[in-house]
Amino acid sequence: MVISLRKALPDKDTKVYKLLEMIGIFGEFPTDLLSRLNVGKGYKEKMVMSLKRQGLIRTHYEDGRRGLRLTTTGKRFLLAENPVRFSFYLSGYSDTNKVRCEPHRRDRLYRVAE
């Protein structure tokens, strides 16, 4: 499955891949923090839309907070690309891999992302 996706996915040295990594590490990336990325507004929107179109991320909105989360496909892609780096964050019982529906857990992930 990852092999067929690889043609459309970004290279490791691109800003799109860096955003995907940040979402994977933090568990949920607040959309408010997209303004801190060192790219133009239009390019940020294209980055997010590209990752959504490829099925790697999705937007989660709850309790007045909007964040970007990895899909199962996104998790598999990052684990296949760099298992040493992402196995801690994306497998097992790590906090970034648990259900994040409680407001206190989402607040903590947002603070870490900041």
Side-chain angles (χ1 to χ4, degrees), residues 9-105:
L9 294 173
D11 292 328
K12 286 187 176 184
D13 59 344
T14 62
K15 300 252 184 204
V16 178
Y17 187 81
K18 296 295 182 197
L19 176 61
L20 191 63
E21 284 183 318
M22 287 190 291
I23 295 168
I25 290 170
F26 300 134
E28 183 171 338
F29 191 80
T31 56
D32 298 344
L33 294 183
L34 287 172
S35 63
R36 293 187 179 185
L37 298 176
N38 194 19
V39 295
K41 181 181 178 183
Y43 188 65
K44 286 178 219 168
E45 292 172 5
K46 286 182 182 180
M47 288 172 30
V48 171
M49 290 308 296
S50 171
L51 291 171
K52 283 183 178 180
R53 202 174 310 116
Q54 294 168 355
L56 300 174
I57 65 169
R58 63 184 169 83
T59 302
H60 181 79
Y61 185 76
E62 187 179 333
D63 298 326
R65 298 180 189 102
R66 186 179 310 268
L68 301 172
R69 292 183 178 180
L70 288 177
T71 62
T72 303
T73 305
K75 288 180 182 182
R76 287 181 185 154
F77 169 71
L78 287 177
L79 285 169
E81 284 291 308
N82 196 342
V84 174
R85 181 173 188 188
F86 292 107
S87 62
F88 174 76
Y89 301 107
L90 301 177
S91 61
Y93 294 105
S94 64
D95 199 41
T96 56
N97 198 35
K98 289 181 182 176
V99 176
R100 299 167 291 276
C101 57
E102 297 99 10
H104 71 279
R105 180 165 292 168

